[in-house]
Amino acid sequence: TNESLVQVIEIPLIPLFEVAFGPQYNSCQKSIFSIILLCMKLNSDENLREFLVLKLGEMTKYPLEKWNYNPSFFTRDQPFSGLRNLGATCFLNSVFQQLYHLFPFRYFVSVFDFGQKVDLVFLQQIFVQMAFTVRPYVDTSKFIETWKGWNNTLLNPKEQQDSVEFFLALIDSLPSEITEMFKGEMKNFLSGVDADFNNASTETFVNLSITIKNHRNIESSFDEFIVEEMVNDYECDSLNKKITVRKFLRISKKPKVLVIQLKRFEYDFT
């Protein structure tokens, strides 16, 4: 009988398990499982039973194989969707995720009529898919293949970029109706110390870069941001001489959404 045959012949079960649960051996798996079943009936080795249970558990986790498909692998089990990393696109993904969770921005991008601007239409599709897809992640390939950022060139998904630079380029490419929420104004003041001189200029900003080194909290960082600086030998055209001035800046118009860049790195060019 088959059982007596198994008792006589020594069969290495672990290699059989590897064959039985390997997707490349699907043509002979049914026969292998029959042999394993007989062996397990006649063998009381607990280690082998634990190994079999482990393999059965691994088999149920295969998402997609020639002989098995698990649709749950492609269905998100979290409230939000991720973004597919195309190589070195984490800088883009991190900006998209932060903007997505900013509801006014997400709403305007989702409903805005971008017309013939194909790259922005793909951006719109990404935000809509992030809201409604049942998949665990959204693909950004079409946006990367069409959006032209720095120097009017396409992004290279294999090349890392700075997140803030990407954010600024992205904001610059969007309609002002959407980006107006990020825009603020600051004034740069120059005041003569020992001369009758005052000057102020206004500039628009969409993000503030603040230093975090030697600071315990963001309030301390902002204190440094607005600190006055003494500038010697400032060339004053109106007085036709060099003078000492106090230089400082103040936010004159606050944005509806303030974007803060934490300056975590310092570069030494010497």
Side-chain angles (χ1 to χ4, degrees):
T1 64
N2 288 339
E3 294 188 4
S4 61
L5 180 63
V6 173
Q7 290 175 337
V8 174
I9 302 176
E10 293 186 0
I11 300 178
L13 288 183
I14 292 181
L16 279 180
F17 286 146
E18 299 294 343
V19 174
F21 294 101
Q24 65 269 39
Y25 302 109
N26 55 312
S27 60
C28 61
Q29 282 171 333
K30 184 176 181 180
S31 300
I32 298 297
F33 271 116
S34 298
I35 296 175
I36 291 176
L37 180 61
L38 284 174
C39 292
M40 296 305 295
K41 286 181 177 179
L42 300 174
N43 196 317
S44 60
D45 190 336
E46 289 299 324
N47 292 330
L48 287 177
R49 293 183 182 278
E50 290 179 3
F51 186 82
L52 178 61
V53 171
L54 176 64
K55 282 297 181 180
L56 285 171
E58 292 178 357
M59 183 182 73
T60 60
K61 295 179 182 179
Y62 287 164
L64 179 62
E65 298 290 356
K66 295 179 181 178
W67 53 276
N68 184 47
Y69 171 70
N70 184 359
S72 64
F73 181 81
F74 301 98
T75 303
R76 72 183 188 191
D77 56 0
Q78 301 295 325
F80 303 108
S81 290
L83 293 169
R84 181 185 175 196
N85 194 325
L86 303 179
T89 56
C90 52
F91 70 95
L92 177 144
N93 291 358
S94 62
V95 171
F96 279 1
Q97 287 285 9
Q98 292 182 74
L99 291 176
Y100 174 83
H101 289 282
L102 180 62
F103 177 75
F105 183 87
R106 180 171 83 231
Y107 173 78
F108 283 123
V109 168
S110 299
V111 301
F112 197 87
D113 183 7
F114 290 110
Q116 300 301 314
K117 296 183 178 180
V118 178
D119 54 344
L120 299 183
V121 171
F122 288 141
L123 173 67
Q124 183 179 65
Q125 291 177 0
I126 290 173
F127 275 71
V128 172
Q129 289 174 20
M130 290 175 69
F132 297 106
T133 184
V134 296
R135 294 179 178 272
Y137 62 86
V138 174
D139 196 331
T140 59
S141 299
K142 291 184 178 180
F143 174 81
I144 290 178
E145 293 169 357
T146 55
W147 185 78
K148 294 183 178 180
W150 300 276
N151 302 318
N152 199 34
T153 57
L154 294 174
L155 291 175
N156 180 357
K158 305 300 181 183
E159 183 178 313
Q160 183 63 266
Q161 300 289 351
D162 182 77
S163 294
V164 175
E165 290 184 4
F166 170 70
F167 168 74
L168 295 176
L170 177 66
I171 293 300
D172 190 54
S173 69
L174 290 168
S176 59
E177 295 93 327
I178 297 177
T179 61
E180 191 64 29
M181 69 180 75
F182 299 107
K183 294 180 180 178
E185 292 181 356
M186 67 172 64
K187 283 190 176 182
N188 294 289
F189 293 94
L190 294 174
S191 179
V193 174
D194 52 4
D196 185 16
F197 173 76
N198 290 284
N199 183 54
S201 59
T202 303
E203 62 177 285
T204 302
F205 69 90
V206 295
N207 81 300
L208 294 180
S209 298
I210 63 173
T211 303
I212 61 174
K213 185 177 181 179
N214 300 324
H215 295 286
R216 297 178 62 87
N217 51 55
I218 196 169
E219 288 82 2
S220 177
S221 295
F222 269 112
D223 288 339
E224 180 181 323
F225 183 75
I226 63 174
V227 72
E228 294 184 358
E229 175 186 359
M230 300 298 292
V231 180
N232 297 317
D233 297 327
Y234 175 78
E235 190 71 45
C236 181
D237 295 335
S238 61
L239 298 177
N240 196 28
K241 65 177 181 178
K242 293 182 178 180
I243 62 174
T244 300
V245 297
R246 292 185 299 116
K247 180 182 179 182
F248 58 96
L249 57 85
R250 297 291 185 268
I251 296 176
S252 56
K253 179 184 177 182
K254 62 183 180 180
K256 294 180 179 179
V257 178
L258 177 60
V259 178
I260 299 175
Q261 176 193 9
L262 303 180
K263 296 167 66 175
R264 300 180 295 121
F265 305 102
E266 293 184 353
Y267 298 95
D268 185 357
F269 295 99
T270 61

